[in-house]
Amino acid sequence: MARTNAPTGNQAVLRALGVLHCFRDNGAALSASDIARRLNLSSSTAHRLAQTLARAGFLDQDDGTARYRLGPSVVELGLLSYHQRGLQRTGPELDHLAQVTGATADLAIRGGTHVVLVSGGSVRRNDTGIGLRRPLHSTALGKVLLAWARPGEDDLADLGPLRPLTGRTIADLPSLRAEVERVRAVGYAINDGESAEGIRTLAVPLLDRAGHARFALAVRSTPEVLTDARMPWFLGHAQTCARALEVLLLHPDERRRG
């Protein structure tokens, strides 16, 4: 007779993906016990999942510490996705934008309830230990991706609790809805110390023909650089770069007319 507590196929897949997601924060290598605590699994289950993923190349295990890190199969798939999306072509445009504005230029996509940085200065200098993901609600990039969301991704209630990162973070749903509507009306988003004190970011969408944001582009600096008076100047350069990137990243049938 089959064991009643054995995971279904879907549960097994979700558990395995959960193990991989434990490494998203770009932290230190993890033990099986660390993984078990993060996923609320037994140590034996976490160990078995990690060993299975290691045999498939999705995790590497250190022989000395027995701790795990992401493996070569993840690297391979990540690079394939990077090139399939054409992201290797974005560097010169982002570098030019950064050089002209004196700000950090970043390109991002949506990943669930987070922004995922995929190209630009923050990706190259990602040595902070906090990974490449940021909450949608607390970032200018995220506000842009929410304002021009695809069907099925436009319900803000799906974001769950809005955790404040600073005293300026929008942390309630009505205020976020109002902010997203404002962003859609003016065509860009601002993050003024909402995710980190002393940092100001301006973001614009890369829109497809249907009017959905496929990517978001941001310039990031301090309030002393990104001043209110100079915001139109930064906005113009960001929008010009965004349109150039739309040509590089979107198929001709997907691009906006005009």
Side-chain angles (χ1 to χ4, degrees):
M1 185 171 62
R3 292 172 55 189
T4 58
N5 61 345
T8 66
N10 285 343
Q11 288 173 328
V13 171
L14 290 173
R15 283 181 175 180
L17 292 174
V19 172
L20 295 177
H21 288 172
C22 286
F23 297 86
R24 275 179 159 176
D25 61 2
N26 197 31
L30 300 176
S31 67
S33 296
D34 294 330
I35 295 170
R37 282 192 294 272
R38 293 191 181 198
L39 299 179
N40 196 27
L41 298 172
S42 68
S43 294
S44 60
T45 298
H47 175 75
R48 185 169 62 252
L49 287 168
Q51 285 289 300
T52 299
L53 289 167
R55 286 194 294 271
F58 287 92
L59 292 181
D60 264 342
Q61 186 177 30
D62 186 277
D63 292 334
T65 66
R67 290 179 173 270
Y68 296 92
R69 63 179 181 178
L70 293 175
S73 293
V74 176
V75 176
E76 179 186 6
L77 292 176
L79 288 172
L80 285 171
S81 176
Y82 188 84
H83 284 273
Q84 286 172 356
R85 292 175 180 268
L87 293 169
Q88 75 279 7
R89 298 193 292 268
T90 64
E93 294 292 341
L94 293 173
D95 288 344
H96 178 72
L97 178 62
Q99 183 177 20
V100 169
T101 61
T104 299
D106 289 318
L107 187 71
I109 59 174
R110 180 171 180 172
T113 60
H114 288 77
V115 166
V116 181
L117 302 176
V118 293
S119 188
S122 294
V123 175
R124 288 194 295 270
R125 298 192 300 272
N126 183 43
D127 55 1
T128 62
I130 59 174
L132 299 174
R133 297 195 309 153
R134 308 287 188 271
L136 287 167
H137 71 280
S138 66
T139 60
L141 288 163
K143 293 175 189 178
V144 161
L145 292 169
L146 291 171
W148 290 277
R150 296 181 183 185
E153 297 181 341
D154 52 0
D155 189 349
L156 299 183
D158 291 341
L159 298 180
L162 305 179
R163 184 169 66 90
L165 302 182
T166 74
R168 292 173 175 260
T169 307
I170 297 174
D172 65 274
L173 203 53
S175 296
L176 182 61
R177 284 199 175 101
E179 175 67 0
V180 168
E181 289 175 5
R182 187 199 67 80
V183 168
R184 193 181 298 114
V186 300
Y188 64 93
I190 298 291
N191 167 8
D192 197 357
E194 296 165 51
S195 55
E197 299 285 354
I199 299 296
R200 178 178 271 187
T201 306
L202 178 149
V204 297
L206 276 65
L207 297 174
D208 60 22
R209 184 169 295 185
H212 304 133
R214 303 288 288 273
F215 299 85
L217 170 70
V219 287
R220 175 173 54 83
S221 190
T222 64
E224 291 74 26
V225 174
L226 275 166
T227 63
D228 291 341
R230 298 191 71 201
M231 199 63 71
W233 182 82
F234 280 99
L235 177 60
H237 283 290
Q239 289 174 329
T240 298
C241 183
R243 292 306 295 265
L245 290 175
E246 288 174 10
V247 174
L248 290 176
L249 296 174
L250 301 183
H251 188 273
D253 293 340
E254 300 173 323
R255 295 175 197 156
R256 290 187 278 174
R257 294 184 175 90

